[in-house]
Amino acid sequence: MSNEMPKGATLAKNRDGLINEADLEKIKLQNEKSREVIEQNNLLKKQDDAEAMLHNSKILNALSRSLVKFFFSKAGFIVCVIAYISFNVCLHYRFGDEANFYIGLVDKIGLFVIIFILGKFLKDNISLLMEIFKK
């Protein structure tokens, strides 16, 4: 810190010199303007957050709807069953008796992926729904 005075400043001789009504009014006005600007910025941020949540929920709903339709449609089910059967046949042809380990591994990974994808979208949709009810 330096002991230099700002340009245009004067030394106050007493307490009354420190309390200048015009300066206090200026400071109060600046504080009010600053509060208004801060409140306006906060409102804009909240509005942007709400719009982003709405946009994300729309994307999430569309994606989860398409994934659920794929997993539970006849064509998706048939494609998954045919791919699973052909994969099992290829593993048995390639590895013989050792294929049981790999088939079990593929079963667990596939089940994990299906549950993870569907569960993630279900959890996200429920949390978004709860956020909507909070507001």
Side-chain angles (χ1 to χ4, degrees):
M1 292 179 68
S2 69
N3 291 332
E4 295 179 26
M5 286 183 51
K7 292 181 182 176
T10 59
L11 285 174
K13 300 289 182 197
N14 54 21
R15 188 177 68 159
D16 294 334
L18 292 174
I19 304 174
N20 185 353
E21 289 296 322
D23 290 339
L24 287 176
E25 289 299 320
K26 245 192 252 182
I27 292 171
K28 285 180 184 178
L29 185 62
Q30 287 175 349
N31 286 342
E32 284 181 31
K33 287 181 182 179
S34 297
R35 276 191 216 108
E36 289 175 4
V37 168
I38 290 171
E39 288 176 12
Q40 183 67 23
N41 288 341
N42 287 338
L43 287 175
L44 289 175
K45 286 179 185 178
K46 286 180 183 179
Q47 184 179 6
D48 289 343
D49 289 345
E51 288 175 7
M53 275 183 50
L54 179 65
H55 182 69
N56 288 342
S57 67
K58 284 181 182 179
I59 291 172
L60 188 64
N61 286 336
L63 185 59
S64 63
R65 239 184 274 122
S66 63
L67 281 173
V68 168
K69 281 181 185 177
F70 173 75
F71 279 121
F72 295 110
S73 68
K74 286 183 182 180
F77 181 74
I78 291 170
V79 167
C80 290
V81 168
I82 290 173
Y84 180 75
I85 290 171
S86 61
F87 188 68
N88 283 342
V89 169
C90 290
L91 282 177
H92 273 293
Y93 178 75
R94 173 85 171 121
F95 294 110
D97 291 336
E98 296 174 0
N100 290 334
F101 170 74
Y102 296 111
I103 291 171
L105 187 64
V106 168
D107 289 346
K108 289 175 185 170
I109 292 171
L111 186 61
F112 173 76
V113 167
I114 290 170
I115 289 173
F116 179 76
I117 289 172
L118 294 177
K120 168 119 176 66
F121 289 119
L122 183 63
K123 180 190 89 58
D124 288 345
N125 283 334
I126 288 173
S127 65
L128 285 173
L129 185 66
M130 291 172 77
E131 287 292 325
I132 289 171
F133 284 131
K134 283 181 184 178
K135 293 184 179 188

